[in-house]
Amino acid sequence: GSHSQLEDMAPRIVEHPTDVLVSKGEPATLSCKAEGRPAPVVEWYKDGERVETDREDPRSHRTLLPGGSLFFLRILHGRRGKPDEGVYVCVARNYLGEASSRNASLEVAGE
């Protein structure tokens, strides 16, 4: 191949999410930006479980933004639970490997 060919690179996280405190019903964003070649696929995990976004469920209130950040249209919080509260981590993968962000906690502000 020619030397102008860019080499593939394993993913790395260039912007990590930070802890957020949100009022229920308000929107929130957990930032994440990853680099790699080919461009890595970003997934989010909450307390170790994969987070479903509007890509799997069009009715989801969580959207995966093009850069990899996770956007909540509104934070869900009911008497029966706090489904959005927890510890989130962003994982970027391509065929060369994967990279995980730091943990970020999302907390819902008191009633």
Side-chain angles (χ1 to χ4, degrees):
S2 78
H3 61 267
S4 65
Q5 182 72 41
L6 290 168
E7 279 187 43
D8 286 354
M9 294 183 322
R12 67 188 184 98
I13 307 282
V14 291
E15 187 182 330
H16 292 264
T18 52
D19 296 350
V20 280
L21 178 64
V22 201
S23 303
K24 73 178 184 202
E26 293 292 306
T29 304
L30 287 167
S31 302
C32 180
K33 197 184 239 165
E35 285 178 353
R37 193 176 297 114
V41 174
V42 170
E43 290 184 331
W44 283 87
Y45 290 83
K46 169 182 166 284
D47 301 330
E49 302 265 314
R50 204 168 78 79
V51 171
E52 283 209 347
T53 63
D54 60 339
R55 293 191 178 181
E56 292 94 9
D57 179 0
R59 296 183 309 277
S60 175
H61 67 295
R62 292 180 292 242
T63 301
L64 189 61
L65 299 179
S69 297
L70 185 63
F71 176 69
F72 299 81
L73 295 172
R74 62 192 180 283
I75 291 298
L76 298 186
H77 186 71
R79 282 189 296 276
R80 288 187 300 280
K82 308 176 181 183
D84 289 328
E85 207 167 66
V87 176
Y88 288 80
V89 64
C90 151
V91 178
R93 289 192 182 89
N94 67 15
Y95 80 98
L96 283 170
E98 63 176 62
S100 299
S101 72
R102 290 196 290 270
N103 288 347
S105 66
L106 186 150
E107 282 186 62
V108 178
E111 299 298 283

